[in-house]
Each structure stands twice: as C-alpha cells, then as structure tokens.
Amino acid sequence: PMKKIYLYGNWKMNMLPFEGEEFCRTLGNKMQGDIYSSEMIQVCLFPPFLTIPEVLKSLPEDVPAACGAQDGYFEDRGAFTGEVSMDMVKAVGCSHVLVGHSERRHIFGESNEIVAKKLAKAIETGLKTVLCFGETLDERESGKTLAVVREQLESAFAGLDKDKSCCRVILAYEPVWAIGTGKNARPEDAQEVCAFAAKMAGDYFGTHPKIPVLYGGSVKESNALDLLSQHDIDGALVGGASLKVDSFLGIYENYRKISV
Ligand code: PEP
C-alpha cells in the first residue's frame, strides 16, 4: 500500500530558535529520495511560538515540510494578555495549528467548549487545523472511550462551517495515558478509535477525500510500523521523538521500508 503519511512533530516547550534552525537544516538534508516526495509524506513541525520564525526561515523549499503553531486563541484582538490569535499565526506564515492538545485540556483547563471555539476560529482563518482528542486512563478502563471521543468530536464539529472545514480539518487521536509515557496504544485499539473518528467526520462533513486521522502517544521508530499500517491511521503526531531528526524521520522510514 502506498498511502501518504502525515508525520507531524509537536515540540511542546522545547527548542530555542537556533535549535530549530539546526533541526531544519538537517531535516532538509535527510528528506531526500523518492520516499520523501509530496505524494508519499507530509511533514509539519509545531515549534513554540518564538521559534516559529526561525523554522519558517530555515525550512528548505524543496521538501514537503510545513510549520504550524501549537495553539491559538479564539478572539482576534484585545485584552487577552499572553495569547496569540489565529490570524497572527497565519500572518507569520504558518499553514497549520494544533487545537485541543491534551496538555492544553488537562494542564491549562481547556474545555470542549473552548476547543470548539478555537477550532472554528482556526478554520475560519484558513489554517489547516489539527484537532486533538482522546480519553484518559480512567475513561478507557471504565469502557467510556468511544463515548468520550464522540462527545469531544461532536462538540468540536458543531460550530463549524462544513464547506470550509472539509479540507482543513485533520484529526489526531491521542489517548491521554499514552502521551509522553512511553506506553503507546495497542495498534488495534488505536485503529478502532481512528476508524470511529474517521466515520464520524465522514458522516458530518460528507467529504471526499477523507479527513486524515493521525495517532499520537509515544510513537517511536520501534512501534511505527504496527501503528501506521493500520487501515484508518493516516499518520503520527509525535512529541518526544520529534525533537531529533533521526528519531523523527526514523518513524516514517520504518513504515516505508517495509510497506513500499
Ligand atoms: C504529543 O505531544 O502530541 C505526543 C504524542 O507526545 P509523545 O509522542 O511524547 O507521547
């Protein structure tokens, strides 16, 4: 199977501007050869806000790699100290943005309602928007995973303009208990939830081509093939392993080597 892989790297609160520059230079040198054509892969890096300009400057133009922000606010302007608006994200040159990352939800208390507002604003601004969702360990153990995911997606989709959204929404299933813990979801469990999300998105937006669904949560070279081979997993959202070019691209190479 020659499916295109989305390889997205969330740097979280890591990487100074000079480190971002170095990363991009190395990335450009390594993303060479047929497997790095734009039909095969799309890379997107999500640096901290202040590292974004350096990354945008140093991303080589001849490789399919983009840059996005890790968050953005749902208001355009005003007295919101510390916030960055979606049109600011767009204005510096980002094509993408994350919303609803589990660290935003759980450390910074973002509700489904806030995530829905951010998603709607990001889409309206014209950004490709990665909506992150996923259950906690408690929720999984009590059998509530699909109910929780349904609620997260329903509330997020509710405020969206369907026509604008179809080609801008990207979904990322990230079980909270798998993020930064070294414990990835079993491929068949990840597949089940990603298929469920893809079906919900399909029913809601009725779109062709289908909305991509990424899996995130301790993705690394050693588990990449099993996860990325699942039918409804279109790519990976990577935290820890995205901080080094080798471990980041290694995820993709492990998949592609076996499945070309
Ligand atoms: C993430 O932050 O989106 C993530 C999946 O992190 P990690 O790969 O480190 O689990």
Side-chain angles (χ1 to χ4, degrees):
M2 297 288 279
K3 75 177 174 187
K4 176 172 172 171
I5 294 289
Y6 296 78
L7 183 66
Y8 284 12
N10 172 18
W11 288 353
K12 313 194 184 193
M13 201 174 70
N14 298 290
M15 303 287 253
L16 292 164
F18 86 91
E19 295 170 306
E21 190 266 330
E22 234 167 67
F23 184 102
C24 291
R25 213 170 344 110
T26 312
L27 188 79
N29 291 334
K30 299 210 167 154
M31 283 181 70
Q32 297 298 329
D34 294 348
I35 66 165
Y36 285 107
S37 72
S38 58
E39 291 80 53
M40 299 284 261
I41 187 167
Q42 203 223 344
V43 167
C44 189
L45 304 172
F46 295 88
F49 288 124
L50 293 176
T51 298
I52 287 173
E54 199 63 38
V55 165
L56 282 167
K57 240 193 313 182
S58 28
L59 267 184
E61 272 166 34
D62 60 344
V63 299
C67 180
Q70 296 169 17
D71 192 23
Y73 199 53
F74 55 77
E75 297 283 1
D76 287 324
R77 291 289 179 276
F80 304 103
T81 301
E83 291 299 317
V84 167
S85 69
M86 294 294 179
D87 73 327
M88 291 170 183
V89 168
K90 179 104 191 288
V92 294
C94 287
S95 49
H96 289 63
V97 67
L98 301 180
V99 300
H101 189 276
S102 89
E103 285 147 23
R104 299 300 319 171
R105 293 178 189 262
H106 297 281
I107 302 175
F108 301 101
E110 285 186 17
S111 60
N112 279 343
E113 195 187 344
I114 290 176
V115 173
K117 285 188 184 173
K118 289 184 169 184
L119 176 63
K121 179 56 78 172
I123 296 295
E124 189 193 309
T125 307
L127 291 163
K128 297 215 162 78
T129 311
V130 184
L131 169 65
C132 307
F133 62 95
E135 81 287 1
T136 63
L137 187 57
D138 256 15
E139 290 161 347
R140 172 157 288 270
E141 286 176 345
S142 49
K144 292 190 201 133
T145 298
L146 296 184
V148 167
V149 166
R150 173 185 293 284
E151 196 182 329
Q152 288 174 330
L153 294 183
E154 264 172 5
S155 61
F157 292 165
L160 291 183
D161 175 324
K162 286 191 194 188
D163 291 335
K164 284 187 192 155
S165 306
C166 61
C167 36
R168 295 184 192 158
V169 174
I170 296 160
L171 300 176
Y173 169 53
E174 299 206 301
V176 178
W177 49 272
I179 300 178
T181 58
K183 271 199 284 184
N184 58 284
R186 290 189 305 162
E188 57 272 31
D189 291 336
Q191 159 61 24
E192 182 194 19
V193 180
C194 290
F196 179 79
K199 169 88 171 45
M200 269 189 75
D203 290 349
Y204 192 84
F205 300 108
T207 49
H208 299 276
K210 106 181 233 300
I211 287 181
V213 185
L214 281 50
Y215 166 79
S218 299
V219 179
K220 48 189 177 250
E221 288 166 75
S222 57
N223 57 26
L225 177 62
D226 284 347
L227 288 162
L228 293 176
S229 301
Q230 300 298 316
H231 184 264
D232 289 287
I233 299 182
D234 301 303
L237 179 54
V238 186
S242 74
L243 297 175
K244 291 275 182 310
V245 175
D246 282 346
S247 52
F248 185 49
L249 294 182
I251 289 167
Y252 173 67
E253 291 185 354
N254 265 297
Y255 169 75
R256 197 55 89 191
K257 254 182 258 162
I258 320 258
S259 62
V260 279

